[in-house]
Coordinates of all heavy atoms in Angstrom, one line a residue:
L21 N 57.0 -35.2 -15.2 CA 57.6 -36.2 -16.1 C 56.5 -37.3 -16.4 O 56.0 -37.9 -15.5 CB 58.8 -36.8 -15.5 CG 60.0 -35.9 -15.3 CD1 61.1 -36.6 -14.5 CD2 60.5 -35.3 -16.6
G23 N 56.9 -40.3 -17.5 CA 57.4 -41.6 -17.3 C 57.5 -42.0 -15.8 O 57.9 -43.1 -15.5
V24 N 57.2 -41.0 -14.9 CA 57.4 -41.2 -13.5 C 56.0 -41.0 -12.9 O 55.3 -40.0 -13.1 CB 58.4 -40.2 -12.9 CG1 58.6 -40.4 -11.4 CG2 59.7 -40.3 -13.6
V68 N 74.9 -42.6 -14.4 CA 74.3 -43.9 -14.6 C 74.0 -44.6 -13.3 O 73.0 -45.2 -13.1 CB 75.3 -44.8 -15.5 CG1 74.7 -46.2 -15.6 CG2 75.4 -44.2 -16.9
A71 N 70.9 -43.2 -11.9 CA 69.7 -43.7 -12.5 C 69.4 -45.1 -12.0 O 68.3 -45.5 -11.8 CB 69.9 -43.7 -14.0
L75 N 66.1 -46.6 -10.3 CA 65.4 -47.9 -10.7 C 65.3 -48.9 -9.6 O 64.3 -49.6 -9.5 CB 66.2 -48.5 -11.9 CG 66.0 -47.7 -13.2 CD1 67.0 -48.2 -14.3 CD2 64.6 -47.6 -13.7
V86 N 58.8 -45.9 -12.6 CA 59.6 -45.2 -13.6 C 59.6 -46.0 -14.9 O 59.9 -47.2 -14.8 CB 61.1 -45.0 -13.1 CG1 61.9 -44.2 -14.1 CG2 61.1 -44.3 -11.7
A87 N 59.3 -45.4 -16.0 CA 59.1 -46.0 -17.3 C 60.3 -46.7 -17.8 O 60.2 -47.7 -18.5 CB 58.5 -45.1 -18.3
G88 N 61.5 -46.2 -17.5 CA 62.7 -46.8 -18.1 C 63.9 -46.1 -17.6 O 63.9 -45.1 -16.8
F89 N 65.1 -46.5 -18.2 CA 66.4 -45.9 -17.8 C 66.5 -44.4 -18.0 O 66.9 -43.7 -17.2 CB 67.5 -46.7 -18.5 CG 68.9 -46.0 -18.3 CD1 69.5 -46.3 -17.1 CD2 69.4 -45.2 -19.2 CE1 70.7 -45.7 -16.8 CE2 70.6 -44.6 -18.9 CZ 71.3 -44.9 -17.8
W90 N 66.0 -44.0 -19.2 CA 66.1 -42.6 -19.6 C 65.3 -41.7 -18.7 O 65.7 -40.5 -18.3 CB 65.8 -42.3 -21.0 CG 66.8 -43.0 -21.9 CD1 66.6 -44.1 -22.7 CD2 68.2 -42.7 -22.1 NE1 67.7 -44.5 -23.3 CE2 68.7 -43.7 -22.9 CE3 69.0 -41.7 -21.5 CZ2 70.1 -43.7 -23.3 CZ3 70.3 -41.7 -21.8 CH2 70.9 -42.7 -22.7
Y91 N 64.1 -42.1 -18.3 CA 63.3 -41.4 -17.3 C 63.9 -41.4 -16.0 O 63.9 -40.4 -15.2 CB 61.8 -41.9 -17.3 CG 61.0 -41.5 -18.4 CD1 60.5 -42.4 -19.4 CD2 60.6 -40.1 -18.5 CE1 59.8 -42.0 -20.4 CE2 59.8 -39.7 -19.6 CZ 59.4 -40.6 -20.5 OH 58.6 -40.2 -21.6
A92 N 64.5 -42.5 -15.6 CA 65.2 -42.5 -14.3 C 66.4 -41.6 -14.3 O 66.7 -40.9 -13.3 CB 65.7 -44.0 -14.0
L93 N 67.1 -41.5 -15.4 CA 68.3 -40.6 -15.5 C 67.8 -39.2 -15.4 O 68.4 -38.3 -14.7 CB 69.0 -40.9 -16.8 CG 70.3 -40.0 -17.1 CD1 71.3 -40.3 -16.1 CD2 70.8 -40.2 -18.5
L94 N 66.8 -38.8 -16.2 CA 66.2 -37.4 -16.1 C 65.7 -37.1 -14.8 O 65.9 -36.0 -14.2 CB 65.1 -37.3 -17.2 CG 64.5 -35.9 -17.4 CD1 65.6 -34.8 -17.7 CD2 63.4 -35.9 -18.4
F95 N 65.0 -38.0 -14.1 CA 64.4 -37.8 -12.8 C 65.6 -37.6 -11.8 O 65.5 -36.7 -11.0 CB 63.6 -39.0 -12.4 CG 62.9 -38.9 -11.1 CD1 61.8 -38.2 -10.9 CD2 63.5 -39.6 -10.0 CE1 61.2 -38.1 -9.6 CE2 63.0 -39.5 -8.7 CZ 61.8 -38.7 -8.5
S96 N 66.6 -38.4 -11.9 CA 67.7 -38.2 -10.9 C 68.5 -36.9 -11.2 O 68.9 -36.3 -10.2 CB 68.7 -39.4 -11.0 OG 69.4 -39.4 -12.3
L97 N 68.6 -36.5 -12.4 CA 69.2 -35.2 -12.7 C 68.4 -34.1 -12.1 O 69.0 -33.2 -11.4 CB 69.4 -35.0 -14.2 CG 70.6 -35.8 -14.8 CD1 70.5 -35.7 -16.3 CD2 71.9 -35.3 -14.3

Side-chain angles (χ1 to χ4, degrees):
L21 296 174
V24 180
V68 174
L75 291 172
V86 180
F89 175 79
W90 295 110
Y91 281 112
L93 182 64
L94 183 59
F95 181 80
S96 70
L97 283 171

